[in-house]
Coordinates of all heavy atoms in Angstrom, one line a residue:
Chain A
Y257 N -1.6 20.0 13.7 CA -2.4 20.6 14.8 C -3.8 21.0 14.4 O -4.1 21.0 13.2 CB -1.6 21.9 15.3 CG -0.5 21.5 16.2 CD1 0.8 21.3 15.6 CD2 -0.6 21.3 17.5 CE1 1.9 20.9 16.4 CE2 0.4 21.0 18.3 CZ 1.7 20.7 17.8 OH 2.7 20.4 18.5
L277 N -10.7 8.0 27.2 CA -9.8 6.8 27.3 C -9.7 6.3 28.8 O -9.5 5.1 29.0 CB -8.4 7.1 26.8 CG -8.2 7.0 25.4 CD1 -6.9 7.6 25.0 CD2 -8.3 5.5 25.0
E353 N -8.4 19.7 11.7 CA -7.0 19.3 11.7 C -6.3 19.7 10.4 O -6.9 19.5 9.4 CB -7.0 17.8 11.8 CG -6.1 17.2 12.8 CD -6.2 15.7 12.8 OE1 -7.4 15.1 12.6 OE2 -5.2 15.0 13.1
R360 N -0.6 8.7 2.2 CA -1.5 8.2 3.2 C -2.7 9.1 3.4 O -3.8 8.6 3.4 CB -0.7 8.0 4.5 CG -1.4 7.9 5.8 CD -0.4 7.6 6.9 NE 0.6 8.7 7.1 CZ 0.3 9.7 7.9 NH1 -0.8 9.8 8.6 NH2 1.2 10.7 8.1
M380 N -6.1 1.9 0.6 CA -4.8 2.2 1.1 C -3.9 0.9 1.1 O -2.8 0.9 0.7 CB -4.9 2.8 2.5 CG -3.6 3.0 3.3 SD -3.0 1.6 4.2 CE -4.2 1.6 5.6
S384 N -0.6 0.1 -1.1 CA 0.7 -0.2 -0.4 C 1.3 -1.5 -0.9 O 2.5 -1.7 -1.1 CB 0.5 -0.2 1.1 OG -0.1 -1.4 1.5
T388 N 5.0 -2.5 -2.9 CA 6.0 -3.5 -2.4 C 6.2 -4.6 -3.5 O 7.3 -4.9 -3.8 CB 5.7 -4.1 -1.1 OG1 4.3 -4.4 -1.0 CG2 6.0 -3.2 0.1
Y389 N 5.1 -5.1 -4.0 CA 5.2 -6.2 -5.0 C 5.8 -5.7 -6.3 O 6.3 -6.6 -7.0 CB 3.8 -6.9 -5.2 CG 3.5 -7.8 -4.0 CD1 2.5 -7.4 -3.1 CD2 4.1 -9.0 -3.8 CE1 2.2 -8.2 -2.0 CE2 3.8 -9.8 -2.8 CZ 2.8 -9.4 -1.8 OH 2.5 -10.2 -0.7
N391 N 8.3 -3.7 -6.2 CA 9.7 -3.5 -5.8 C 10.2 -2.1 -6.3 O 11.3 -2.0 -6.7 CB 10.6 -4.6 -6.4 CG 11.9 -4.7 -5.7 OD1 12.1 -4.1 -4.7 ND2 12.8 -5.6 -6.2
Y395 N 16.8 3.9 -8.1 CA 17.5 3.2 -9.1 C 16.7 2.2 -9.9 O 17.2 1.3 -10.6 CB 18.8 2.6 -8.6 CG 19.7 3.6 -8.0 CD1 20.0 3.6 -6.7 CD2 20.4 4.5 -8.8 CE1 20.8 4.6 -6.1 CE2 21.2 5.5 -8.3 CZ 21.4 5.5 -6.9 OH 22.2 6.5 -6.4
R396 N 15.4 2.3 -9.9 CA 14.6 1.4 -10.8 C 14.0 2.2 -12.0 O 13.8 3.4 -11.9 CB 13.3 0.9 -10.0 CG 13.7 0.1 -8.7 CD 14.2 -1.2 -9.1 NE 14.1 -2.1 -7.9 CZ 15.0 -2.1 -6.9 NH1 16.1 -1.3 -7.0 NH2 14.9 -2.9 -5.9
E414 N 7.5 9.3 -5.4 CA 8.1 9.5 -4.0 C 9.1 8.4 -3.7 O 10.1 8.6 -3.1 CB 7.0 9.5 -3.0 CG 7.4 9.8 -1.6 CD 6.3 9.9 -0.6 OE1 5.6 8.9 -0.3 OE2 6.0 11.0 -0.2
R415 N 8.8 7.2 -4.1 CA 9.7 6.0 -3.7 C 10.9 6.0 -4.6 O 11.9 5.4 -4.2 CB 8.9 4.7 -3.9 CG 7.7 4.5 -2.9 CD 8.1 4.1 -1.6 NE 7.0 4.0 -0.7 CZ 6.4 2.8 -0.3 NH1 6.9 1.7 -0.8 NH2 5.4 2.8 0.5
D505 N 12.3 -2.2 -15.1 CA 12.4 -3.1 -14.0 C 11.0 -3.4 -13.4 O 10.7 -4.4 -12.8 CB 13.3 -2.5 -12.9 CG 14.6 -2.2 -13.4 OD1 15.3 -3.2 -13.9 OD2 15.1 -1.1 -13.3
P528 N 14.4 -9.2 -17.8 CA 14.1 -10.4 -17.0 C 14.3 -10.0 -15.5 O 15.1 -9.2 -15.2 CB 15.2 -11.4 -17.4 CG 15.9 -10.7 -18.5 CD 15.5 -9.3 -18.7
N529 N 13.6 -10.8 -14.7 CA 13.6 -10.5 -13.2 C 13.0 -9.2 -12.9 O 13.3 -8.5 -11.9 CB 15.0 -10.6 -12.7 CG 15.0 -11.0 -11.2 OD1 15.9 -11.7 -10.8 ND2 14.1 -10.5 -10.4
H557 N 6.0 -17.1 -10.6 CA 5.5 -16.6 -9.3 C 4.3 -15.7 -9.5 O 4.2 -14.6 -8.9 CB 6.6 -15.9 -8.5 CG 6.4 -16.0 -7.0 ND1 6.4 -17.2 -6.4 CD2 6.0 -15.1 -6.1 CE1 6.2 -17.0 -5.1 NE2 5.9 -15.8 -4.9
I558 N 3.3 -16.1 -10.4 CA 2.2 -15.3 -10.7 C 1.1 -15.6 -9.6 O 0.7 -16.7 -9.4 CB 1.6 -15.7 -12.1 CG1 2.7 -15.7 -13.1 CG2 0.5 -14.8 -12.5 CD1 2.4 -16.5 -14.3
E559 N 0.7 -14.5 -9.0 CA -0.3 -14.6 -7.9 C -1.4 -13.7 -8.1 O -1.2 -12.5 -8.4 CB 0.4 -14.3 -6.5 CG 1.3 -15.4 -6.0 CD 1.9 -15.1 -4.7 OE1 2.2 -14.0 -4.4 OE2 2.0 -16.1 -3.9
L560 N -2.6 -14.2 -8.0 CA -3.8 -13.4 -8.0 C -4.3 -13.3 -6.6 O -4.4 -14.3 -5.9 CB -4.9 -14.0 -8.9 CG -6.3 -13.3 -8.9 CD1 -6.2 -12.0 -9.5 CD2 -7.3 -14.2 -9.7
S561 N -4.5 -12.1 -6.1 CA -4.9 -11.9 -4.7 C -5.9 -10.8 -4.5 O -6.0 -9.9 -5.3 CB -3.6 -11.7 -3.9 OG -3.1 -10.4 -4.3
D562 N -6.6 -10.9 -3.4 CA -7.4 -9.7 -3.0 C -6.9 -9.3 -1.6 O -6.1 -10.1 -0.9 CB -8.9 -9.9 -3.0 CG -9.4 -11.0 -2.1 OD1 -8.6 -11.5 -1.3 OD2 -10.6 -11.4 -2.2
W564 N -7.7 -7.4 2.4 CA -8.7 -7.2 3.4 C -8.2 -6.3 4.5 O -7.1 -6.5 4.9 CB -9.0 -8.6 3.9 CG -10.1 -8.7 4.9 CD1 -11.4 -8.9 4.7 CD2 -9.9 -8.8 6.4 NE1 -12.1 -9.1 5.9 CE2 -11.2 -9.0 6.9 CE3 -8.8 -8.6 7.2 CZ2 -11.4 -9.0 8.3 CZ3 -9.0 -8.7 8.6 CH2 -10.3 -8.9 9.1
L565 N -8.9 -5.3 4.8 CA -8.5 -4.3 5.8 C -9.6 -4.0 6.8 O -10.7 -3.6 6.4 CB -8.1 -3.0 5.1 CG -7.4 -1.9 6.0 CD1 -6.0 -2.3 6.3 CD2 -7.5 -0.6 5.3
R566 N -9.3 -4.2 8.1 CA -10.3 -4.0 9.1 C -9.8 -3.1 10.2 O -8.7 -3.3 10.7 CB -10.7 -5.3 9.7 CG -11.8 -5.3 10.7 CD -12.3 -6.7 10.9 NE -13.6 -6.7 11.5 CZ -14.3 -7.8 11.5 NH1 -14.0 -8.9 10.9 NH2 -15.5 -7.7 12.1
E567 N -10.6 -2.0 10.5 CA -10.1 -1.1 11.5 C -10.9 -1.4 12.8 O -12.0 -1.9 12.8 CB -10.5 0.4 11.0 CG -9.6 1.4 11.7 CD -9.9 2.8 11.3 OE1 -10.3 3.0 10.1 OE2 -9.8 3.7 12.2
Y568 N -10.2 -1.1 13.9 CA -10.7 -1.4 15.2 C -10.9 -0.1 16.0 O -10.2 0.9 15.9 CB -9.7 -2.3 16.0 CG -9.8 -3.7 15.6 CD1 -9.2 -4.1 14.3 CD2 -10.5 -4.6 16.3 CE1 -9.3 -5.4 13.9 CE2 -10.6 -5.9 15.8 CZ -10.0 -6.3 14.6 OH -10.2 -7.6 14.2
T575 N -13.5 -2.4 23.1 CA -12.7 -2.7 22.0 C -13.5 -3.6 21.0 O -13.9 -4.7 21.5 CB -11.4 -3.3 22.4 OG1 -10.6 -2.4 23.2 CG2 -10.5 -3.7 21.2
I592 N 6.8 -12.2 -11.7 CA 8.2 -11.8 -12.0 C 8.5 -12.3 -13.4 O 8.4 -13.5 -13.7 CB 9.2 -12.5 -11.0 CG1 8.8 -12.0 -9.6 CG2 10.6 -12.2 -11.3 CD1 9.6 -12.7 -8.5
V594 N 10.6 -13.5 -16.6 CA 11.8 -14.4 -16.7 C 12.1 -14.5 -18.2 O 11.3 -14.3 -19.1 CB 11.6 -15.8 -16.1 CG1 11.5 -15.7 -14.6 CG2 10.3 -16.4 -16.7
L595 N 13.4 -15.0 -18.4 CA 13.8 -15.4 -19.8 C 13.7 -16.9 -19.8 O 14.3 -17.6 -19.1 CB 15.3 -15.1 -19.9 CG 15.8 -13.8 -20.5 CD1 17.3 -13.8 -20.5 CD2 15.3 -13.6 -21.9
D596 N 12.8 -17.3 -20.7 CA 12.6 -18.8 -20.7 C 12.9 -19.3 -22.2 O 12.0 -19.3 -23.0 CB 11.2 -19.2 -20.3 CG 11.1 -20.6 -20.0 OD1 12.1 -21.3 -20.1 OD2 10.0 -21.1 -19.6
Chain B
C48 N 19.5 -4.0 -3.3 CA 18.9 -2.7 -3.5 C 19.1 -2.3 -5.0 O 18.1 -1.9 -5.6 CB 19.6 -1.7 -2.6 SG 19.0 -1.7 -1.0
R49 N 20.3 -2.3 -5.5 CA 20.4 -1.8 -6.9 C 20.1 -3.0 -7.8 O 20.2 -4.1 -7.4 CB 21.9 -1.4 -7.1 CG 22.0 -0.3 -8.1 CD 23.4 0.2 -8.2 NE 23.4 1.6 -8.6 CZ 24.1 2.6 -8.0 NH1 24.9 2.3 -7.0 NH2 24.0 3.8 -8.5
K52 N 22.1 -6.6 -13.7 CA 21.4 -7.5 -14.7 C 22.0 -8.9 -14.7 O 21.4 -9.8 -15.0 CB 21.6 -6.9 -16.1 CG 20.9 -5.5 -16.3 CD 19.4 -5.6 -16.2 CE 18.8 -4.2 -16.1 NZ 17.5 -4.1 -15.5
Y63 N 14.7 -20.6 -7.8 CA 13.3 -20.7 -7.8 C 12.8 -21.9 -8.4 O 13.1 -22.1 -9.6 CB 12.7 -19.4 -8.5 CG 11.2 -19.4 -8.4 CD1 10.6 -18.6 -7.4 CD2 10.4 -20.1 -9.3 CE1 9.2 -18.5 -7.3 CE2 9.0 -20.0 -9.2 CZ 8.4 -19.3 -8.2 OH 7.1 -19.2 -8.1
F66 N 6.4 -22.2 -6.2 CA 5.9 -21.2 -5.2 C 6.5 -21.4 -3.8 O 6.8 -20.4 -3.2 CB 4.4 -21.4 -5.1 CG 3.7 -20.5 -6.1 CD1 3.3 -20.9 -7.3 CD2 3.4 -19.2 -5.8 CE1 2.7 -20.1 -8.2 CE2 2.8 -18.3 -6.7 CZ 2.4 -18.8 -7.9
F97 N 20.0 -12.4 -14.4 CA 19.0 -12.7 -13.4 C 17.7 -12.9 -14.2 O 17.3 -12.2 -15.2 CB 18.8 -11.5 -12.5 CG 19.8 -11.4 -11.4 CD1 20.8 -10.4 -11.4 CD2 19.8 -12.3 -10.4 CE1 21.8 -10.3 -10.4 CE2 20.8 -12.3 -9.4 CZ 21.8 -11.3 -9.4
G98 N 16.9 -13.9 -13.7 CA 15.6 -14.2 -14.3 C 15.7 -15.2 -15.4 O 14.8 -15.4 -16.2
R100 N 16.7 -19.1 -17.0 CA 16.5 -20.5 -16.6 C 17.9 -21.2 -16.6 O 18.8 -20.9 -17.5 CB 15.7 -21.3 -17.7 CG 15.1 -22.6 -17.2 CD 14.3 -23.2 -18.3 NE 12.9 -23.0 -18.3 CZ 12.0 -23.6 -17.5 NH1 12.5 -24.5 -16.6 NH2 10.7 -23.4 -17.5
L111 N 16.8 -16.0 -9.5 CA 16.3 -14.6 -9.4 C 17.2 -13.8 -8.5 O 17.9 -14.3 -7.6 CB 14.9 -14.7 -8.7 CG 13.8 -15.5 -9.5 CD1 12.5 -15.5 -8.7 CD2 13.6 -14.9 -10.9
Q112 N 17.1 -12.5 -8.6 CA 17.8 -11.5 -7.8 C 17.2 -11.5 -6.4 O 15.9 -11.6 -6.3 CB 17.7 -10.2 -8.5 CG 18.6 -9.1 -7.8 CD 18.9 -8.0 -8.7 OE1 18.1 -7.5 -9.5 NE2 20.2 -7.6 -8.7
E116 N 10.9 -9.1 -1.0 CA 9.7 -9.9 -1.0 C 10.1 -11.4 -1.2 O 9.6 -12.3 -0.6 CB 8.8 -9.5 -2.2 CG 8.1 -8.2 -2.0 CD 9.0 -7.0 -1.9 OE1 9.9 -6.9 -2.7 OE2 8.8 -6.2 -0.9
M117 N 11.1 -11.7 -2.0 CA 11.6 -13.0 -2.2 C 12.3 -13.5 -0.9 O 12.2 -14.7 -0.6 CB 12.6 -13.1 -3.4 CG 12.0 -12.9 -4.7 SD 11.1 -14.4 -5.2 CE 9.4 -13.8 -5.3
T131 N 4.8 -9.8 3.7 CA 4.7 -8.7 2.9 C 3.4 -7.8 3.0 O 3.5 -6.6 2.9 CB 5.0 -9.1 1.4 OG1 6.2 -9.8 1.4 CG2 5.1 -8.0 0.4
S135 N 3.8 -3.9 3.7 CA 3.3 -2.9 2.8 C 2.6 -1.8 3.6 O 2.9 -0.6 3.4 CB 2.3 -3.5 1.8 OG 2.9 -4.6 1.2
Q140 N 2.1 3.6 6.0 CA 1.6 4.4 7.1 C 2.7 5.0 7.9 O 2.5 6.0 8.6 CB 0.8 3.5 8.0 CG -0.5 3.0 7.4 CD -1.5 4.2 7.3 OE1 -1.5 5.1 8.2 NE2 -2.4 4.2 6.3
D142 N 5.0 6.6 6.3 CA 5.5 7.6 5.4 C 6.9 7.4 4.9 O 7.7 8.4 4.8 CB 5.3 9.0 6.0 CG 3.9 9.4 6.2 OD1 3.0 8.8 5.6 OD2 3.7 10.4 7.0
P145 N 12.8 7.2 0.2 CA 14.3 7.4 0.3 C 14.6 8.6 1.1 O 14.0 9.7 1.0 CB 14.7 7.6 -1.2 CG 13.6 6.9 -2.0 CD 12.4 7.1 -1.2
R165 N 15.3 -1.2 1.7 CA 15.0 -1.0 0.2 C 14.3 0.3 0.0 O 14.6 1.1 -0.9 CB 14.2 -2.2 -0.3 CG 13.8 -2.1 -1.8 CD 12.4 -1.7 -2.1 NE 11.4 -2.1 -1.2 CZ 10.6 -3.2 -1.4 NH1 10.9 -4.0 -2.4 NH2 9.7 -3.5 -0.6
R244 N 6.1 9.4 12.9 CA 5.1 8.3 12.9 C 5.6 7.1 13.7 O 6.8 6.9 13.8 CB 4.8 7.9 11.5 CG 4.1 8.9 10.7 CD 2.6 9.0 11.0 NE 1.8 7.9 10.5 CZ 0.6 7.7 10.8 NH1 -0.1 8.5 11.6 NH2 -0.1 6.7 10.3
Q256 N -4.5 -2.8 23.5 CA -5.2 -1.9 24.4 C -4.2 -1.2 25.2 O -4.3 0.1 25.4 CB -6.2 -2.7 25.3 CG -7.4 -3.2 24.5 CD -8.3 -4.1 25.2 OE1 -7.8 -5.0 25.9 NE2 -9.6 -4.0 25.1
S263 N -1.7 7.5 23.8 CA -2.5 8.7 24.0 C -1.9 9.4 25.2 O -1.9 10.7 25.2 CB -3.9 8.3 24.3 OG -4.4 7.7 23.1
N269 N -4.1 10.7 16.7 CA -4.6 9.9 15.6 C -4.2 8.4 15.8 O -3.8 7.8 14.8 CB -4.1 10.4 14.3 CG -4.7 11.7 13.9 OD1 -5.8 12.1 14.4 ND2 -4.0 12.5 13.1
T272 N -6.0 1.4 14.9 CA -5.5 0.0 14.8 C -6.2 -0.6 13.6 O -7.4 -0.5 13.5 CB -5.9 -0.7 16.1 OG1 -5.2 -0.1 17.2 CG2 -5.4 -2.2 16.0
V273 N -5.4 -1.3 12.8 CA -6.0 -2.1 11.7 C -5.4 -3.5 11.7 O -4.4 -3.8 12.2 CB -5.7 -1.4 10.3 CG1 -6.4 -0.1 10.2 CG2 -4.2 -1.3 10.1
E274 N -6.1 -4.3 11.0 CA -5.7 -5.7 10.6 C -5.6 -5.7 9.1 O -6.6 -5.2 8.4 CB -6.7 -6.7 11.0 CG -6.3 -7.5 12.3 CD -7.4 -8.6 12.5 OE1 -8.6 -8.3 12.5 OE2 -6.9 -9.7 12.5
S275 N -4.6 -6.3 8.5 CA -4.5 -6.3 7.0 C -4.1 -7.7 6.6 O -3.2 -8.3 7.1 CB -3.5 -5.3 6.5 OG -3.3 -5.4 5.2
L276 N -4.9 -8.3 5.7 CA -4.6 -9.6 5.2 C -4.6 -9.6 3.6 O -5.2 -8.8 3.0 CB -5.6 -10.6 5.6 CG -5.8 -10.9 7.1 CD1 -7.0 -11.8 7.4 CD2 -4.5 -11.6 7.7
R277 N -3.9 -10.5 3.1 CA -3.9 -10.7 1.6 C -4.3 -12.2 1.4 O -3.8 -13.1 2.0 CB -2.5 -10.5 1.0 CG -2.4 -10.7 -0.4 CD -1.0 -10.3 -0.9 NE -0.7 -10.5 -2.3 CZ 0.1 -11.5 -2.8 NH1 0.7 -12.3 -2.0 NH2 0.2 -11.6 -4.1
R278 N -5.3 -12.3 0.5 CA -5.8 -13.7 0.2 C -5.4 -14.1 -1.2 O -5.7 -13.3 -2.1 CB -7.3 -13.6 0.4 CG -8.0 -14.9 0.6 CD -9.5 -14.6 1.0 NE -10.2 -13.9 -0.1 CZ -11.4 -14.0 -0.3 NH1 -12.2 -14.9 0.4 NH2 -12.0 -13.3 -1.3
L280 N -5.8 -16.2 -4.5 CA -6.8 -17.0 -5.2 C -6.1 -17.9 -6.2 O -5.1 -17.5 -6.8 CB -7.7 -16.0 -6.0 CG -8.3 -14.8 -5.3 CD1 -9.0 -13.9 -6.2 CD2 -9.2 -15.3 -4.2
D332 N 2.2 -25.3 -16.1 CA 2.2 -24.2 -17.1 C 1.7 -24.6 -18.4 O 0.9 -23.9 -19.1 CB 3.7 -23.7 -17.3 CG 4.0 -22.7 -16.3 OD1 3.2 -22.4 -15.4 OD2 5.1 -22.1 -16.4
H365 N 5.0 18.0 16.3 CA 6.2 18.8 16.6 C 6.4 18.9 18.1 O 5.5 19.3 18.8 CB 6.0 20.2 16.0 CG 7.3 20.9 15.8 ND1 8.1 21.3 16.8 CD2 8.0 21.2 14.7 CE1 9.2 21.9 16.4 NE2 9.2 21.9 15.0

Side-chain angles (χ1 to χ4, degrees):
Chain A
Y257 282 88
L277 274 169
E353 220 177 330
R360 165 172 63 87
M380 174 274 285
S384 76
T388 44
Y389 284 101
N391 201 5
Y395 299 110
R396 304 285 197 276
E414 186 175 70
R415 297 277 178 104
D505 304 303
N529 209 139
H557 207 68
I558 308 160
E559 286 182 320
L560 175 63
S561 64
D562 63 5
W564 182 89
L565 185 75
R566 186 164 194 163
E567 203 182 325
Y568 283 76
T575 298
I592 298 170
V594 288
L595 265 182
D596 195 1
Chain B
C48 280
R49 213 172 206 135
K52 299 292 172 204
Y63 187 97
F66 270 91
F97 281 110
R100 199 183 263 281
L111 301 178
Q112 188 155 44
E116 287 65 47
M117 288 287 117
T131 306
S135 308
Q140 288 290 328
D142 293 340
R165 183 257 320 269
R244 293 280 288 169
Q256 288 173 319
S263 298
N269 293 333
T272 300
V273 293
E274 258 188 302
S275 170
L276 296 171
R277 174 176 181 251
R278 200 169 59 148
L280 311 174
D332 274 4
H365 200 292

